[in-house]
Amino acid sequence: VQVSEKRREEIASLRRLIDFGGGSDKDTPQWYFRLAELLWEESQYFFFEANRRDDRLIALGTKGDPREIDRLMAEKKALDREQLRHKDQAVALYKAIVARYPKYPRLDEVLYFLAENLTKRDRNDPDALKAYRALIQRFPQSRYVPDAWMAFGEYYFEKANEKDRVGNLRRALEAYRQAAGYQESSVYGYAIYKQAWVHYNLTE
């Protein structure tokens, strides 16, 4: 709670800076980026608080005081709404940086976090794949490229359970191979493992 209070103070300060409108093309995207990070962190605070209400509801069970159950359920819904609101604001800021500041030095990082956060909000969001693809195409030397390839692999691997099983598995395999091309990356080992898992699913 104390960390969240400090974070909210920083969020308020950044909002004032942005609303004042005195930032340069160098400062403003940096403010957007930091504010987006803080908003996403704050969304996680609301996520954990909502889960705590779930824990208390489970502990109460069906024999708990109905008034207490109703109160906890109402609190959980309000916390879930706050979590989603903060996520939406963070995503909007990442998108604003991409649209307004194409020369921002950390744009590869912005694209990665935009894609990652869109995926966390909705695993099937097509804009997430667009952001990952833009990252790979525009910043081939970025340290986030192997993670982007892993995201494509995971997307197609999951899609294989819905339709075009063999085709999606082969697309996943190619993405995992691309990710494994970066041996210094933290995803290298997992990319190798997932290739084996795809071969297993293809009975190879």
Side-chain angles (χ1 to χ4, degrees), residues 10 14 29-39 41 97:
E10 190 175 351
L14 280 167
Q30 188 65 31
W31 295 344
Y32 279 20
F33 195 11
R34 179 60 183 153
L35 181 55
E37 288 179 314
L38 291 166
L39 288 167
E41 289 170 10
I97 298 171

Side-chain angles (χ1 to χ4, degrees), residues 135-153:
L135 168 60
I136 292 169
Q137 292 174 347
R138 295 169 62 182
F139 303 98
Q141 304 304 316
S142 170
R143 65 190 178 98
Y144 295 101
V145 166
D147 297 87
W149 279 119
M150 278 301 301
F152 273 106

